[in-house]
Amino acid sequence: MSAAIETDGHIASAVRTDAPPAIVLDKVNKWFGALHVLRDVNLQVATGERVVVCGPSGSGKSTMIRCINRLETHQEGRILVDGIELSDDLRALDAIRREVGMVFQSFNLFPHLTILENCTLAPIWVRKMPKKQAEELAMEYLTRVRIPEQAAKYPGQLSGGQQQRVAIARALCMKPKIMLFDEPTSALDPEMIKEVLDTMVMLADTGMTMIVVTHEMGFARQVADRVVFMDRGEVVEVGTPDQVFNDPKTDRLKMFLSQILRGH
Amino acid sequence: MSDITVNTPAIPAQSARSAPLTAVGPIAWMRANLFSGWLSTAVTLVCGYLIIRAVMGFVDWAFINAIWSVPVDGRGIAQTQACRDLHGTGACWAVVTEKHRFMLFGTYPYEQHWRPALVCILFVALYIVSAMRRFWNWTLVPIWIGTLTAIGILMWGGVFGLPYVPQERWGGLPITLILATFGLAFAFPLSILVALGRRSNLPAIKVLCVVYVELIRGVPLISLLFMASVMFPLFLPEGMNIDKLLRAQIAIILFAGAYLAEVVRAGLQSLPKGQYEAADAMGLSYWQKTGFIILPQALRTVIPPLVNTFIGFFKDTSLVLIIGIFDLLTAGKTAIVEPAWQGFGIEVYVFVGLIYLVFCFAMSKYSAGLEADLNKHRRR
């Protein structure tokens, strides 16, 4: 594990129990052909809650969060985001995608647009924001991820860590209520992981509802309200970072933890 | 931006010096590439000899022994005996001097030739304006409509005191430019829609696009032109007649559209899935995603094969000669039917070929520049 984040203190929880849950997964099942990739997945994420999802590769964790904004479609069960049920209704889908930001493992910035254009595209065309206002907003978020000076450059001119921070800023420019992170540091060189994790910690500090698929245990300890351990398409254990990492109940989790600890 | 400081021991930097001339200069290049051994030296010398012979032979034929003009007798018949006496040792450019107006404008009334000439200039101006990135916005639409209207008025006439010229008398370069310009201007947007349609989730649209592409691609352009000129009128109700040029034009648009669609589809295929996902995740609609993210990247990638196809179709317009449309090449062929000029085909085809070359080379150079310019973001 990267030692980038010291577990010197868990940041304050922002869970709001008075508000309705941000995300509900109710007995969600999904198959890729004959392969059963999600098996009866149940999960509730409260508004303001920060959930870290971990598990071995192929455990379905990426598929699960990709179902939340329907980059993948689930075949059984219900998913509710911000009170709206995901279905074939395109209007509901648009409404959900406006409120859910996503950060990908491979950044997926648009290489033919400048950093600023990457950030303003969706606010202008989806949120119908005036261009000037969108640019001001973009500069505000670029400043927050500490790269305002790169605004006029193209993604290809930036380092991986910088690109991922732009991707975070780009998602934030839509002012989402929920942020999904799909292994945001897995494609990065070790020395760039810290700058991206720092940005995510900062975001957590603002009370954003977050679901993060990651293997960064230090980050999980510092930020997560709950850690979800998945294996072979199932949610195996759910608990506070302390419970999951220090007091694993199942053999599968024990084995996973011993592997990732030995591996580093 | 990274907070990590890298402690590397200071390496004493050597003062940089330029590479020795024998390693990078033209002499070094020649030694390495042309005279690196006895075999390569021999090949170089033999090739050099053949190239020099060929160039000298061409210069002799095209310039030194060439005849540039011949006298014309009182009845308007050219006296080409001098040309015939050359027995092929020199070019008879007199045929071009005498016949260039016919080759360029066909059977268009002679005293009205300024009209198709102006049309050609308008076309070229339209290409130049459209090529400038400064005009890549909505102002191009009125510019195109205005120019094409002016071209139509000039060619047909019948208004503003211009005598009416029926379409059967049009010919030469304007025909080639009309077929190529309208052909590509309509085929390109059509091809984008078809390429998108082939990747659509809607089965009906997908099948329609696949059938269109496969059907048109599987048939030679010549047979399509025949169908357009001979078969198509049979299906029309009595008395209704779409003119021949328009029918050929539609055949060319459909044909070019199918080929370009496959090129565009290759570009769509080359985009990583992550680009689609990122656009979806941001909530962009299908057309926003396609217009802002997918097509700009896909089309940049396929500029070389796209221009390749454009150039191919510019020249393929000459196939309309088989259905009797008087384009540049047909006009050239017809120019040497006259007894006085029979046997001077090479000179005419060189002249016609040069005109095609000018247009195609311009397209090719422009696309190379455009490619470099639009793909700037790929360079670090």
Side-chain angles (χ1 to χ4, degrees):
Chain A
M1 224 23 41
S2 158
I5 303 290
E6 300 303 330
T7 55
D8 49 6
H10 192 281
I11 64 170
S13 171
V15 177
R16 289 180 49 192
T17 45
D18 52 328
I23 299 167
V24 178
L25 280 81
D26 184 17
K27 289 211 162 160
V28 172
N29 278 282
K30 177 170 179 61
W31 291 263
F32 284 131
L35 192 66
H36 200 171
V37 286
L38 292 180
R39 307 176 185 218
D40 282 338
V41 172
N42 289 307
L43 185 68
Q44 279 214 8
V45 179
T47 302
E49 192 179 21
R50 298 178 290 265
V51 173
V52 165
V53 184
C54 62
S57 63
S59 60
K61 48 196 194 309
S62 284
T63 308
M64 181 187 77
I65 74 163
R66 288 160 59 86
C67 280
I68 293 171
N69 64 355
R70 216 174 173 78
L71 290 182
E72 306 280 1
T73 50
H74 60 287
Q75 284 135 1
E76 272 180 17
R78 297 189 337 139
I79 299 179
L80 279 87
V81 181
D82 199 28
I84 306 169
E85 177 162 4
L86 273 179
S87 64
D88 292 327
D89 180 3
L90 288 175
R91 208 168 305 159
L93 182 60
D94 284 344
I96 287 169
R97 283 179 171 167
R98 273 199 294 274
E99 304 307 333
V100 179
M102 185 153 192
V103 175
F104 299 86
Q105 180 175 352
S106 48
F107 328 139
N108 293 348
L109 294 179
F110 305 129
H112 62 302
L113 300 178
T114 63
I115 300 304
L116 189 65
E117 288 165 344
N118 262 281
C119 291
T120 56
L121 184 73
I124 291 174
W125 291 97
V126 181
R127 287 254 186 249
K128 312 287 178 205
M129 201 182 273
K131 188 170 178 229
K132 200 164 176 296
Q133 195 188 335
E135 284 177 353
E136 282 166 12
L137 184 72
M139 287 313 293
E140 187 190 319
Y141 280 113
L142 286 174
T143 309
R144 245 198 258 170
V145 300
R146 305 198 319 263
I147 32 176
E149 70 282 3
Q150 312 281 16
K153 288 192 182 168
Y154 287 98
Q157 297 168 305
L158 269 56
S159 74
Q162 289 173 324
Q163 288 193 46
Q164 193 60 300
R165 282 185 285 147
V166 171
I168 294 172
R170 178 177 74 173
L172 292 177
C173 282
M174 281 293 284
K175 301 220 175 207
K177 293 180 181 158
I178 300 163
M179 284 284 285
L180 307 175
F181 293 83
D182 187 4
E183 307 210 28
T185 56
S186 300
L188 294 173
D189 291 337
E191 73 266 28
M192 292 171 184
I193 291 177
K194 179 178 155 51
E195 61 186 60
V196 171
L197 290 180
D198 283 351
T199 309
M200 289 164 64
V201 171
M202 181 199 76
L203 183 62
D205 238 352
T206 65
M208 174 70 75
T209 308
M210 294 163 74
I211 301 187
V212 184
V213 172
T214 185
H215 291 149
E216 299 292 336
M217 294 306 138
F219 173 79
R221 282 179 192 278
Q222 188 186 1
V223 164
D225 296 307
R226 273 191 303 162
V227 175
V228 173
F229 171 67
M230 288 183 74
D231 188 26
R232 285 178 234 151
E234 290 173 308
V235 173
V236 180
E237 279 193 46
V238 181
T240 63
D242 209 33
Q243 288 167 341
V244 170
F245 296 136
N246 298 344
D247 186 20
K249 302 274 189 305
T250 58
D251 290 341
R252 285 201 252 178
L253 179 52
K254 281 177 196 161
M255 200 164 84
F256 174 70
L257 289 174
S258 73
Q259 272 168 353
I260 61 168
L261 292 176
R262 196 170 55 228
H264 295 265
Chain B
M1 204 60 222
S2 174
D3 303 44
I4 290 167
T5 45
V6 182
N7 290 316
T8 45
I11 300 164
Q14 279 190 334
S15 56
R17 62 191 182 90
S18 52
L21 212 59
T22 49
V24 293
I27 296 170
W29 182 89
M30 275 165 60
R31 193 181 292 163
N33 293 293
L34 299 179
F35 302 101
S36 62
W38 66 268
L39 182 65
S40 97
T41 306
V43 170
T44 302
L45 291 177
V46 169
C47 290
Y49 172 74
L50 292 176
I51 291 169
I52 289 167
R53 273 292 298 271
V55 169
M56 279 170 61
F58 179 77
V59 169
D60 270 350
W61 176 80
F63 301 107
I64 295 172
N65 298 335
I67 291 179
W68 299 88
S69 62
V70 291
V72 177
D73 73 5
R75 286 168 301 154
I77 293 170
Q79 305 301 307
T80 53
Q81 198 50 44
C83 281
R84 301 206 181 277
D85 291 342
L86 288 171
H87 296 297
T89 54
C92 181
W93 297 121
V95 63
V96 176
T97 319
E98 283 297 314
K99 285 282 174 188
H100 70 275
R101 299 258 302 244
F102 182 80
M103 283 186 243
L104 287 174
F105 308 125
T107 52
Y108 208 87
Y110 193 82
E111 63 285 359
Q112 297 290 330
H113 272 184
W114 63 271
R115 280 157 59 179
L118 191 56
V119 163
C120 293
I121 292 169
L122 279 176
F123 265 124
V124 171
L126 185 63
Y127 302 152
I128 291 173
V129 168
S130 309
M132 286 195 271
R133 296 189 66 189
R134 198 178 339 144
F135 291 102
W136 285 12
N137 49 47
W138 290 108
T139 55
L140 265 187
V141 176
I143 289 176
W144 270 72
I145 293 174
T147 313
L148 295 182
T149 311
I151 284 169
I153 291 172
L154 279 168
M155 290 304 285
W156 265 298
V159 284
F160 306 125
L162 297 171
Y164 173 71
V165 178
Q167 189 248 298
E168 290 75 41
R169 298 203 57 184
W170 302 4
L173 187 56
I175 290 281
T176 296
L177 294 182
I178 287 170
L179 286 173
T181 309
F182 282 96
L184 294 175
F186 283 99
F188 187 43
L190 172 70
S191 73
I192 290 174
L193 291 177
V194 172
L196 291 171
R198 269 195 91 154
R199 293 166 59 87
S200 166
N201 294 326
L202 305 170
I205 291 179
K206 190 173 180 169
V207 167
L208 193 71
C209 293
V210 172
V211 167
Y212 161 68
V213 170
E214 296 304 334
L215 211 63
I216 300 281
R217 263 205 314 190
V219 177
L221 178 54
I222 292 190
S223 63
L224 253 167
L225 289 171
F226 266 128
M227 273 192 260
S229 78
V230 182
M231 276 171 62
F232 185 64
L234 302 178
F235 299 123
L236 285 180
E238 194 90 20
M240 187 180 166
N241 189 25
I242 303 178
D243 75 49
K244 192 157 76 172
L245 186 64
L246 182 60
R247 278 183 267 139
Q249 181 75 76
I250 291 171
I252 285 177
I253 290 171
L254 290 178
F255 199 72
Y259 273 86
L260 289 171
E262 287 301 282
V263 174
V264 173
R265 192 166 70 93
L268 296 175
Q269 222 84 297
S270 74
L271 272 199
K273 202 164 151 247
Q275 294 290 309
Y276 292 85
E277 289 180 349
D280 282 337
M282 289 160 78
L284 294 176
S285 72
Y286 175 81
W287 289 109
Q288 289 168 344
K289 175 174 71 173
T290 305
F292 296 130
I293 310 299
I294 307 305
L295 282 180
Q297 295 188 68
L299 293 181
R300 276 164 221 227
T301 316
V302 293
I303 289 174
L306 214 50
V307 173
N308 193 26
T309 317
F310 276 22
I311 289 175
F313 272 98
F314 183 77
K315 294 176 298 176
D316 280 357
T317 56
S318 59
L319 287 175
V320 295
L321 80 90
I322 61 143
I323 56 167
I325 289 176
F326 231 74
D327 78 321
L328 179 59
L329 189 64
T330 319
K333 247 171 87 93
T334 315
I336 45 175
V337 167
E338 205 175 298
W341 294 111
Q342 268 173 18
F344 299 107
I346 297 176
E347 289 83 347
V348 167
Y349 289 127
V350 166
F351 174 70
V352 171
L354 270 178
I355 295 177
Y356 277 107
L357 182 70
V358 166
F359 281 98
C360 294
F361 188 69
M363 259 194 270
S364 163
K365 284 313 268 185
Y366 174 69
S367 85
L370 190 67
E371 206 188 323
D373 210 28
L374 286 181
N375 288 326
K376 258 187 200 139
H377 65 273
R378 297 225 175 114
R379 287 205 297 267
R380 274 181 177 253

